[in-house]
Amino acid sequence: MSYNSTSTIITRLTVKYQINCAVQCANHFANCTTAVFDSLSIPQCTLYSGRLSTANLTVSMNTIVYDFQQSNLTATPILDRWNKTGITVAGASNGSVGKAPNLLSTPYGITLGSFNSLYIADLNNNRIQKWMINASTGTTMAGLSNGTYGTSSVALDSPVSVVLDSNDNMYFTDRNNHRVVYWANGASSGTTIAGIAGTSGSTNNTLFGPTSIVRDSSTGTLYIADTLNNRIMKYLVNATSGTVVAGGNGPGTGITQLYNPIGLAFDSSSNSFLIANYLSNTIVRWVLGASSWTLVIGSPTGLSGSTSTLLNQPVGIASDPMGNIYVADSGNHRIQFFFAGQSNGTTIAGVTGSSGISQNQLNSPYWVIVDNQLNLYVSDTSNNRVQFFSHL
């Protein structure tokens, strides 16, 4: 490539995607006006403080040029491209709690199913609810619709996280029953596939307050955040016991320890887990096969806070195809966005430190997911509703 010599190079960075390159220019360098992304070999982002002359710029098919002075592209990056006003898509917008089909009680994990459906772990109602997008009521898919708890194959006790396979069969953690349940789509009862119903423990065949669950769709392997045992467990298909793949060394902030891990997301590009440590206020990365983690977000000492680099009791965690991270920062009543490789976040939903029921506020959000259009769905847990924030 050849560039106009009057343009000054600020820096060159290795980034995976074009939009990441543009975000670096727009958000991290005040004097940056142009970003050039080249993916011909090692993906490289070059940032310039001057304007480029297109006559002197050789552009390949795999090169994207962002010139914020000359093009129609704006300098508003992905960080600021969500509507700050949410729309209630499940539960009551005024925060009403109840067992009726149009209400929720402490919604926790959420996931998207087929045909514009949303599945919700309705924790205090001891059921899994399915809401069609734009519907005013939900349908009970697992557990008892009247909210009764139990340890039988038809009852649940505080379900937390639910994932689906390609046929919308459900796998979910039944926290207070210390088990993971498989519930076929349309079935009237479920099967315990990890843990022992109603029995807590720390052996390889027992769980203690499991929360998040991740399923490998290619193998059917389950990864379970065994929260009160401070470890992540791996269960193969039809296995009666699991193996520890992270933590298991008691609670704490040491690099071989986890501290009430709740949120769990798998990053296939690095064969690693992103883990939200609720009680140490951190997001850590644990590569499968490793014996320790590396810090991604938060303080290594476990310090909580409300600044852009600190968290306060993080619960849910999600990532997008660009490697960006979204955290339900429950104690700060906000959703934080972290650009891939960065530990300095931006609030994209909620108001930091301010809980409330208005459509731009959240109250102890426990879960966040991102659809393929980068729209956000948030379990606004203490407001007993699920909020939708559109990507602009």
Side-chain angles (χ1 to χ4, degrees), residues 338-386:
F338 295 86
F339 178 69
Q342 300 292 322
S343 58
N344 190 26
T346 298
T347 301
I348 58 173
V351 179
T352 298
S354 176
S355 63
I357 196 62
S358 70
Q359 294 293 72
N360 73 326
Q361 290 179 300
L362 301 170
N363 190 357
S364 298
Y366 277 6
W367 219 257
V368 58
I369 59 174
V370 186
D371 68 16
N372 57 13
Q373 301 299 314
L374 298 183
N375 301 308
L376 303 177
Y377 293 81
V378 178
S379 285
D380 190 12
T381 301
S382 291
N383 280 330
N384 304 296
R385 65 187 183 181
V386 177

Side-chain angles (χ1 to χ4, degrees), residues 138-380:
T139 302
T140 301
M141 302 300 291
L144 300 173
S145 61
N146 64 7
T148 302
Y149 71 90
T151 60
S152 70
S153 62
V154 299
L156 308 177
D157 190 351
S158 302
V160 170
S161 174
V162 56
V163 298
L164 306 174
D165 64 18
S166 58
N167 295 313
D168 281 358
N169 300 311
M170 295 175 288
Y171 303 76
F172 52 84
T173 51
D174 191 17
R175 187 185 68 186
N176 289 356
N177 279 326
H178 313 291
R179 66 181 177 181
V180 174
V181 175
Y182 168 76
W183 200 296
N185 188 6
S188 58
S189 63
T191 303
T192 299
I193 57 174
I196 301 172
T199 301
S200 64
S202 58
T203 60
N204 280 356
N205 69 329
T206 57
L207 303 169
F208 191 11
T211 52
S212 284
I213 183 174
V214 170
R215 180 176 180 269
D216 184 337
S217 60
S218 62
T219 64
T221 299
L222 297 177
Y223 296 92
I224 304 159
D226 190 13
T227 301
L228 298 182
N229 280 324
N230 302 290
R231 64 187 185 181
I232 307 300
M233 298 295 291
K234 174 183 177 180
Y235 270 76
L236 301 176
V237 175
N238 298 322
T240 57
S241 64
T243 56
V244 179
V245 294
N249 298 306
T253 59
I255 62 171
T256 66
Q257 296 175 299
L258 299 175
Y259 205 173
N260 273 199
I262 296 182
L264 188 63
F266 186 67
D267 179 10
S268 59
S269 65
S270 59
N271 197 38
S272 66
F273 282 105
L274 292 168
I275 304 169
N277 277 313
Y278 181 76
L279 290 184
S280 65
N281 308 296
T282 57
I283 306 298
V284 300
R285 184 183 301 278
W286 200 303
V287 177
L288 278 176
S291 57
S292 62
W293 51 256
T294 57
L295 183 66
V296 178
I297 302 163
S299 165
T301 64
L303 176 70
S304 66
S306 59
T307 66
S308 61
T309 60
L310 294 176
L311 302 170
N312 185 6
Q313 298 181 334
V315 180
I317 183 171
S319 60
D320 63 29
M322 294 172 283
N324 304 313
I325 298 172
Y326 306 74
V327 179
D329 190 16
S330 71
N332 284 320
H333 311 292
R334 65 186 182 180
I335 303 300
Q336 288 294 91
F337 173 89
F338 295 86
F339 178 69
Q342 300 292 322
S343 58
N344 190 26
T346 298
T347 301
I348 58 173
V351 179
T352 298
S354 176
S355 63
I357 196 62
S358 70
Q359 294 293 72
N360 73 326
Q361 290 179 300
L362 301 170
N363 190 357
S364 298
Y366 277 6
W367 219 257
V368 58
I369 59 174
V370 186
D371 68 16
N372 57 13
Q373 301 299 314
L374 298 183
N375 301 308
L376 303 177
Y377 293 81
V378 178
S379 285
D380 190 12

